[in-house]
């Protein structure tokens, strides 16, 4: 019977595609794991290092420069929050708001920071920014969580796009997975766009400061800024910085009267 | 005849002088000029006044009238001059001026923008100053002679006496950095030297020369009995390093030079007429650079002993004083402290840090302005202004300011000091506004901060930076690497060989597979045969009817028997309407698949 001479089954192409995609996924996961391990050393999980609020409060009368970091040069959300509370109790509104803003950058999902910051601003009769839906979304998770969510989204999206090529029979499934991956990526990007301008903010730490039309001490005075007012720094010139207030007014302010929410020495 | 030749030579010379003056005066906006040659004559002689207009509007020019002088129009001329490829036209009136009495006469200007000229008439060649002077607007009003006779002693003439350049320095020994006022004088014979082609430059060492770009001072002088136009640049020379230097000044200019041999010139003189003489004389404008006689300069280093720590390099003679913008002011208001450094020297090196920040005064960086009292910036006053804000209220004292410099006269470092200034800060406002203002928000906060809505937190892990993770370059490398990896994967997948199976063939094979699964052998055989026949027909370019068993044997080789067998089964199924029961169709499907996907002619 001729059937005995029939050719052997040939399913090699499909198997080869599976092996290829598996290798790619494995490489991607390995690379991300390596990068995560490398980056983790720079961001989180250093030993807790905070300063007791009482000590900070005692120091408030002596500090001339903003107390920015803990003793080992790291930032802790809880430490900054406690420090801000101590400054508030000591009657140093500028330093209090500065440290609340910093704590908010590190832990935007910490409701206590927002609550105390709002309370201090109200006590100082400063304008309190009401939170809209976008603000609430941006405060849902910490930047670290959002960042890794974005990486996960990239992994899902990339794997799905490759899977569409390899297994087109389940195309609809892969497209759904791609969309599912794009969602966290979009969330991360929007979060970054929301928080990036806040890294250029500064807080008035002097008793009051004058907005001037020109970056010289004798420049025409435009407006007085109260202590603890948060402003956006646009550029610098010698001992002055160009700022924009939340109400949209711009002018030059003595650099010494402000403290950056993200200090220049903070490594990016 | 001889007098006529002299007249024409004067006319030529006055024309050239007119060109030099015209070019230099064009920038001033003046378009009409007059020249008088010779400016000094004796009784019985005449001189010639040439009134030149660059805008060719001589009809508005009136012949001047001066008591004691007779003016006689003897002709007019028109010239075309090409400078730098640009043609300019000028018209001239030539007026003979004959004195009736001796004296100094001022011939008024032909237009408001031009200058009057002076005629000196002597009683005889050996006479001294004339006994009286007459003026065009008012007779018998003495006026200074112009041009005045200059002192030609020590002047080194070059270019056959047509020009000279000299450097005049008040001293021969200076210190490094010391500013020395110098004059650079360039004298040219109008008519012989036609243009200056650049600014003078000092050669012979490392020096800086300031303010040469400014317009030079111009004078007309008679040197060795010849009229000279003298340009004087006032400048400041400063030595950069110590040593003995020999300075010279170079000046490029264009001079008319006779290129003919002397015998030809003598022949030209025999021609008699000025026009033919000029035509044959071979005088051509030539660009040359004249150099002054060398001047020795000894540059001394500044002494190192006794040099003050705040010495900024200022060398000269200076005085300092200070004042404030207000001696009584509210707390928090800035006051401007001013320090005035006046005198003579290198003001570009005069510097001061003013008042240092201290417990009593919050200081800001000073700024300085310089106002010169001469043309060269050698003498003047430099003012430093520094804003200050008093840290405390009440009577305050601004400390004395000091300024160190090196005095080349006393040959030692000097320290000038101002006197302390007393100012009063309005204490009432200080307490009422600033301090209270500073205390109010803090006190208000301190009063309410005990009721902070949320308590302190327990310690949490710390981060190295406040910058959110997704804004850090180190993090951004991760998604970038992942995106690259996936892009590479997509690219690799895109380059993998795509299935060469046409979709129609794939669909037919799927149908056969379904028939195998359903066990419909008759339909399978018939469909397989039709599929193979269509494939062979397409492949071998034969009609289906011509694909016979012989053709299959010839083209398929060992598989021909299997294919023939399949075709026979298909015929049997077609004619009988049924296939073999329980037939194993899988090998047949493999056979068809192999021939459809991998068959080769």
């Amino acid at each position: 019977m001729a059937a005995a001479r029939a050719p052997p089954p040939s399913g090699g192409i499909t198997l080869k595609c599976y092996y290829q995609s598996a290798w790619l996924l494995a490489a991607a996961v390995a690379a991300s794991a390596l990068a995560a391990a490398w980056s983790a050393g720079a961001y989180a999980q250093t030993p807790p290092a905070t300063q007791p609020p009482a000590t900070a409060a005692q120091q408030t009368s002596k500090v001339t420069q903003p107390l920015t970091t803990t003793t080992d040069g790291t930032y802790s959300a809880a430490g900054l929050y406690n420090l801000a509370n101590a400054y508030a109790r000591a009657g140093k509104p500028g330093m209090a708001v500065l440290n609340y803003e910093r704590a908010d950058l590190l832990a935007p999902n910490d409701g206590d920071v927002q609550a105390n910051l709002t309370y201090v601003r109200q006590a100082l009769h400063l304008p309190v920014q009401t939170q809209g839906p976008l603000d609430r979304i941006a405060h849902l998770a910490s930047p670290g969580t959002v960042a890794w969510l974005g990486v996960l989204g990239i992994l899902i999206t990339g794997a799905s796009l490759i899977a569409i090529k390899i297994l087109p029979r389940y195309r609809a499934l892969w497209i759904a997975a791609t969309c599912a991956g794009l969602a966290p990526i979009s969330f991360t990007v929007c979060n970054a766009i929301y928080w990036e301008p806040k890294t250029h903010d500064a807080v008035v730490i002097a008793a009051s400061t004058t907005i001037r039309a020109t970056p010289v001490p004798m420049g025409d005075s435009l407006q007085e800024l109260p202590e603890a007012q948060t402003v956006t720094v646009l550029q610098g010139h010698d001992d002055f910085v160009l700022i924009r207030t939340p109400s949209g007014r711009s002018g030059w302010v003595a650099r010494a009267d402000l403290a950056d929410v993200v200090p220049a020495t903070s490594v990016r | 005849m001889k007098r006529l030749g002299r007249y024409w030579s004067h006319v030529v010379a006055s024309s050239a002088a007119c060109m030099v003056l015209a070019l230099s005066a064009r920038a001033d906006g003046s378009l009409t000029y007059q020249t008088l040659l010779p400016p000094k004559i004796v009784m019985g002689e005449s001189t010639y006044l040439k009134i030149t207009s660059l805008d060719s509007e001589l009809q508005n020019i009136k012949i001047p009238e001066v008591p004691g002088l007779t003016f006689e129009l003897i002709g007019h001329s028109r010239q075309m001059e090409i400078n730098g490829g640009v043609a300019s036209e000028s018209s001239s009136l030539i007026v003979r001026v004959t004195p009736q009495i001796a004296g100094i006469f001022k011939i008024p200007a032909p237009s408001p923008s031009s200058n009057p000229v002076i005629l000196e008439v002597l009683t005889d060649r050996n006479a001294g100053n004339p006994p009286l002077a007459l003026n065009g607007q008012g007779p018998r009003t003495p006026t200074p002679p112009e041009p005045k006779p200059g002192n030609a002693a020590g002047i080194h003439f070059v270019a056959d006496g047509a020009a000279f350049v000299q450097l005049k320095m008040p001293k021969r020994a200076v210190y490094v950095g010391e500013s020395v006022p110098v004059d650079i004088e360039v004298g040219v014979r109008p008519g012989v030297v036609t243009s200056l082609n650049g600014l003078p430059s000092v050669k012979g060492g490392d020096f800086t020369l300031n303010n040469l770009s400014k317009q030079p001072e111009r004078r007309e002088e008679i040197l060795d009995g010849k009229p000279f136009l003298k340009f004087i640049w006032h400048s400041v020379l400063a030595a950069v390093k110590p040593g003995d230097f020999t300075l010279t000044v170079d000046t490029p200019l264009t001079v008319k030079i006779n290129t003919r041999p002397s015998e030809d010139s003598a022949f030209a003189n025999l021609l008699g007429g000025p026009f033919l003489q000029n035509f044959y004389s071979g005088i051509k404008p030539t660009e040359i650079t004249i150099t002054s006689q060398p001047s020795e300069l000894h540059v001394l280093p500044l002494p190192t002993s006794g040099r003050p720590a705040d010495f900024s390099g200022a060398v000269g003679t200076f005085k300092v004083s200070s004042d404030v913008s207000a001696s009584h002011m509210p707390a928090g208001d800035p006051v401007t402290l001013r320090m005035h450094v006046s005198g003579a020297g290198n003001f570009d090196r005069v510097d001061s840090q003013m008042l240092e920040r201290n417990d009593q005064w919050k200081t800001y960086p000073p700024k300085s302005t310089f106002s010169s009292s001469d043309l060269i910036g050698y003498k003047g006053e430099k003012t430093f202004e520094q804003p200050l804000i008093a840290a405390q209220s009440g009577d305050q004292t601004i400390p004395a300011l000091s300024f160190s410099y090196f005095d080349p006269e006393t040959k030692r470092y000097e320290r000038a000091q101002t006197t302390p200034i007393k100012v009063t800060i309005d204490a009432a406002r200080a307490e009422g506004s600033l301090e209270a203002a500073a205390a109010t928000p803090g006190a208000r906060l301190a009063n309410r901060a005990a009721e902070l809505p949320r308590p302190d937190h327990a310690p949490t892990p710390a981060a190295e930076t406040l910058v959110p993770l997704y804004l850090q370059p180190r993090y951004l490398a991760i998604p970038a690497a992942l995106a690259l990896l996936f892009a590479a994967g997509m690219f690799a997948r895109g380059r993998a060989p795509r299935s060469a199976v046409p979709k129609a063939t794939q669909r037919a094979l799927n149908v056969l597979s379904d028939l195998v699964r359903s066990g419909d052998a008759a339909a399978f055989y018939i469909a397989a045969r039709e599929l193979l026949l269509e494939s062979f027909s397409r492949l071998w370019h034969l009609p289906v009817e011509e694909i016979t068993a012989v053709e299959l044997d010839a083209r398929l080789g060992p598989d021909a028997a299997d294919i023939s067998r399949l075709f026979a089964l298909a015929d049997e199924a077609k004619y009988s309407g049924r296939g073999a029961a329980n037939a194993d169709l899988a090998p047949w499907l493999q056979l068809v698949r192999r021939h459809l996907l991998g068959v080769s002619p």
Side-chain angles (χ1 to χ4, degrees), chain A residues 167-245:
Chain A
L167 297 172
R169 185 169 295 182
Y170 308 106
R171 190 181 183 85
L173 175 67
W174 300 136
I175 289 174
T178 304
C179 294
L182 286 174
I185 294 175
S186 307
F187 180 66
T188 305
V189 171
C190 292
N191 212 271
I193 291 171
Y194 177 88
W195 284 105
E196 198 276 337
K198 297 194 182 299
T199 62
H200 304 296
D201 281 357
V203 177
V204 178
I205 55 170
S208 71
T209 189
T210 305
I211 302 180
R212 299 187 184 278
T214 51
V216 290
M218 308 300 289
D220 290 340
S221 171
L222 300 177
Q223 183 187 339
E224 285 292 318
L225 274 183
E227 186 176 3
Q229 173 72 61
T230 303
V231 295
T232 302
V233 176
L234 304 176
Q235 67 178 87
H237 179 82
D238 291 342
D239 290 339
F240 282 81
V241 288
L242 178 65
I243 57 104
R244 186 175 57 230
T245 64

Side-chain angles (χ1 to χ4, degrees), chain B residues 94-340:
Chain B
I94 298 169
V95 179
R96 179 187 291 138
V97 182
T98 306
Q100 292 157 353
I101 54 174
I104 296 173
F105 300 88
K106 183 177 182 181
I107 301 174
S111 70
S113 58
S114 57
N115 296 318
V117 292
I118 303 298
L119 172 64
E120 186 178 2
V121 181
L122 306 174
T123 51
D124 57 63
R125 289 282 171 204
N126 300 322
N129 289 332
L132 55 92
L134 297 180
N135 186 288
Q137 282 93 30
R140 296 182 180 275
T141 303
T143 55
E146 188 177 295
K148 58 185 178 184
N151 182 12
I155 294 180
H156 176 62
F157 292 99
V158 293
D160 290 336
F164 67 88
V165 57
Q166 59 182 356
L167 175 66
K168 287 188 172 178
M169 287 190 295
K171 51 166 71 171
R172 297 293 171 184
V174 299
Y175 285 91
V176 171
E178 180 183 355
S179 292
V180 182
V182 295
D183 287 347
I184 297 173
E185 295 183 353
V186 176
V188 296
R189 283 283 309 279
V192 180
V193 176
T194 58
S195 67
L196 291 173
N197 299 331
L199 293 172
S201 59
V202 173
K203 310 284 184 191
D206 290 335
F207 295 93
T208 59
L209 202 60
N210 298 329
N211 302 315
L212 268 190
S213 59
K214 291 184 178 173
Q215 286 292 320
E217 179 186 340
R218 280 201 301 259
R219 282 185 205 161
E220 288 179 53
E221 282 186 6
I222 305 295
L223 299 172
D224 280 348
K226 298 171 187 173
F228 271 84
L229 193 58
K230 191 193 270 186
F231 299 92
I232 305 170
W233 280 270
H234 303 287
S235 181
V236 175
L237 188 78
V240 175
K241 63 182 182 183
D244 291 324
F245 300 97
T246 302
L247 304 185
T248 58
V249 179
D250 290 349
T251 306
L253 47 82
T254 301
V255 60
K256 286 183 178 175
I257 292 178
N258 191 348
T259 58
R260 299 283 185 194
S262 57
E263 53 270 24
D264 289 354
S265 297
F267 175 72
N269 290 334
L270 290 176
L271 293 176
F275 175 76
L276 290 175
Q277 281 183 7
N278 288 338
F279 179 76
Y280 198 72
S281 67
I283 293 175
K284 290 183 178 176
T286 307
E287 291 184 2
I288 62 170
T289 298
I290 60 173
T291 303
S292 69
Q293 285 195 308
S295 302
E296 301 296 328
L297 185 64
H298 183 50
V299 181
L300 303 164
L302 290 172
T304 54
S305 62
R307 179 178 296 183
D310 61 342
F311 176 64
S312 61
V315 181
T317 307
F318 302 101
K319 291 188 295 184
V320 298
S321 62
S322 66
D323 57 24
V324 290
S325 58
S327 58
H328 187 269
M329 78 212 72
D333 277 10
V335 57
T336 301
L337 172 64
R338 287 188 288 261
M339 181 172 79
H340 308 274

Side-chain angles (χ1 to χ4, degrees), chain A residues 11-72:
Chain A
I13 292 176
T14 310
L15 276 176
K16 193 176 175 184
C17 290
Y18 281 129
Y19 289 140
Q20 195 178 27
S21 58
W23 272 113
L24 277 172
L25 277 175
V29 170
S32 61
L34 279 173
W38 171 55
S39 180
Y43 184 62
Q45 314 320 319
T46 48
T50 56
Q51 205 151 1
T55 307
Q58 290 162 2
Q59 288 182 350
T60 50
S61 59
K62 298 177 182 176
V63 289
T64 53
Q65 293 298 316
L67 189 56
T68 55
T69 62
T70 49
T71 50
D72 60 350

Side-chain angles (χ1 to χ4, degrees), chain B residues 303-428:
Chain B
T304 54
S305 62
R307 179 178 296 183
D310 61 342
F311 176 64
S312 61
V315 181
T317 307
F318 302 101
K319 291 188 295 184
V320 298
S321 62
S322 66
D323 57 24
V324 290
S325 58
S327 58
H328 187 269
M329 78 212 72
D333 277 10
V335 57
T336 301
L337 172 64
R338 287 188 288 261
M339 181 172 79
H340 308 274
V341 181
S342 59
N346 55 349
F347 276 95
D348 58 324
R349 302 296 296 272
V350 171
D351 196 13
S352 172
Q353 295 305 312
M354 298 287 283
L355 194 63
E356 299 280 337
R357 181 174 287 221
N358 54 47
D359 292 341
Q360 282 75 39
W361 295 97
K362 183 179 181 182
T363 63
Y364 292 90
K367 60 180 181 181
S368 64
T369 54
F370 175 64
S371 65
S372 176
S373 59
D374 57 12
L375 293 174
I376 54 177
Y378 177 65
K379 293 177 180 176
E381 180 179 283
K382 196 165 192 176
T383 303
F384 296 87
E385 290 185 341
Q386 185 182 32
L388 310 174
I389 295 178
Q392 297 166 359
S393 58
D395 290 336
Q396 302 291 329
T397 300
I398 299 175
L401 302 171
S402 62
F403 169 68
S404 297
Y405 63 97
F406 182 79
D407 191 337
E409 303 298 328
T410 61
K411 297 182 173 50
R412 64 167 186 254
Y413 292 99
E414 305 282 355
R415 176 181 286 270
Q417 207 157 21
T418 65
T419 53
I421 301 173
K422 291 188 183 300
V423 292
T424 304
I425 310 298
D426 189 350

